[in-house]
Amino acid sequence: MSRGWQTGRVSSQESRPEGQESPFRIEPTGRDEAPQFVLPMVVQLERADPPGRTDALETAARSVLLMLSDPRSTGDGEWAEAVRLWQDARIRKVVRRARGAEWRRAEALPGITVTGKSAQVRVFPPVPLDGWPKDLARLQVSGTELEDPQPPGEPAPGAPVLWMSPEVTLTAGKAMAQAGHGAQLAWWDQSDAEREAWRAAGFPLSVRIAEPERWRTLVTSGLPVVRDAGFTEIAPSDTVVAEGHRGFGAHQ
């Protein structure tokens, strides 16, 4: 039986204890009654030099992990309360795009910028759904259509893989948010030692689209599965499976 997790609540930013309501599930839960927050993410998208799609997805996934593991997001850190409130409700991530002066204004706001091979993504502390900072609220959600300049190749050996569904078509922005969900599930499903080893290694990971036959095996394997609620682009669907995240430290 797969662990199908959708937007929802956990007791803290550190872990999701067994027996609690799943944070990623399609049916309504008490989490829908909690104040709703969103994790803003902004991808730099210059006209002349857009990033590759896969690198943007992987960079977005790492940005979520860096937000979750940042000291400001835990304990008595300055972002900790916002992170807790976000994880006490439906867990939402929204990716917007920025270029030029828009990107510079976004970088001036509190957050973390993550640089990939060709992509830059800035992640911000969670905000209420209707409480976006004006310099982020004015940014566009649409228009994040990206392509890979060449096939991404095999996943990096020894690192977690976030397998994307071959059965749904997502814009790059939506896919980046889904990759972030998958990374968050992998984080929650690790022990403290595994998390520390992954963090110390720089959060290596790969994002790939699974072949149809492999996908059917993955979603029934017991690995963490992201099930999108269908609020935006697609009908309720399985979108991401996180593989190879357990025992990460043993492979380093």
Side-chain angles (χ1 to χ4, degrees):
M1 192 82 178
S2 63
R3 287 170 287 187
W5 296 344
Q6 194 200 11
T7 313
R9 180 174 64 194
V10 294
S11 64
S12 75
Q13 70 276 15
E14 293 298 322
S15 63
R16 174 186 169 267
E18 287 300 319
Q20 286 200 356
E21 287 184 352
S22 165
F24 286 84
R25 58 192 302 169
I26 290 172
E27 64 271 18
T29 74
R31 299 181 183 91
D32 296 288
E33 300 174 5
Q36 300 296 303
F37 280 68
V38 62
L39 186 77
M41 303 163 69
V42 175
V43 57
Q44 185 180 22
L45 192 61
E46 304 292 345
R47 288 189 179 93
D49 191 24
R53 181 182 174 101
T54 297
D55 187 50
L57 269 59
E58 293 174 347
T59 304
R62 283 194 293 273
S63 77
V64 172
L65 295 166
L66 285 163
M67 173 58 67
L68 291 170
S69 62
D70 193 286
R72 291 169 289 184
S73 297
T74 63
D76 295 326
E78 61 190 278
W79 299 341
E81 182 178 4
V83 171
R84 283 193 291 269
L85 289 170
W86 170 56
Q87 292 189 121
D88 279 346
R90 288 281 181 178
I91 294 177
R92 304 170 189 263
K93 301 177 181 72
V94 173
V95 178
R96 301 189 178 218
R97 59 182 172 87
R99 59 173 60 98
E102 295 173 332
W103 175 255
R104 291 190 291 274
R105 285 193 292 268
E107 280 204 302
L109 297 173
I112 302 169
T113 296
V114 184
T115 301
K117 297 174 183 176
S118 61
Q120 274 201 306
V121 174
R122 188 162 179 84
V123 61
F124 304 87
V127 297
L129 279 178
D130 58 355
W132 285 66
K134 65 179 182 179
D135 283 334
L136 299 183
R138 64 177 54 152
L139 299 176
Q140 296 296 310
V141 176
S142 60
T144 51
E145 295 307 320
L146 302 173
E147 297 182 358
D148 282 317
Q150 57 189 16
E154 292 296 315
V161 183
L162 306 177
W163 292 104
M164 307 291 292
S165 170
E167 299 173 353
V168 295
T169 300
L170 305 174
T171 63
K174 177 75 170 180
M176 289 169 68
Q178 296 297 304
H181 289 336
Q184 191 164 2
L185 295 188
W187 174 259
W188 279 334
D189 210 40
Q190 291 181 342
S191 68
D192 289 343
E194 289 164 344
R195 289 174 183 168
E196 177 55 29
W198 199 14
R199 185 201 63 77
F203 293 122
L205 56 83
S206 298
V207 178
R208 296 291 186 272
I209 297 175
E211 294 294 333
E213 183 174 351
R214 185 186 188 103
W215 179 252
R216 289 190 290 271
T217 299
L218 286 166
V219 295
T220 59
S221 65
L223 292 168
V225 181
V226 176
R227 292 191 176 124
D228 186 73
F231 292 136
T232 54
E233 295 182 10
I234 58 174
S237 306
D238 295 340
T239 57
V240 184
V241 175
E243 182 184 43
H245 56 286
R246 298 309 306 270
F248 176 78
H251 301 293
Q252 302 310 303

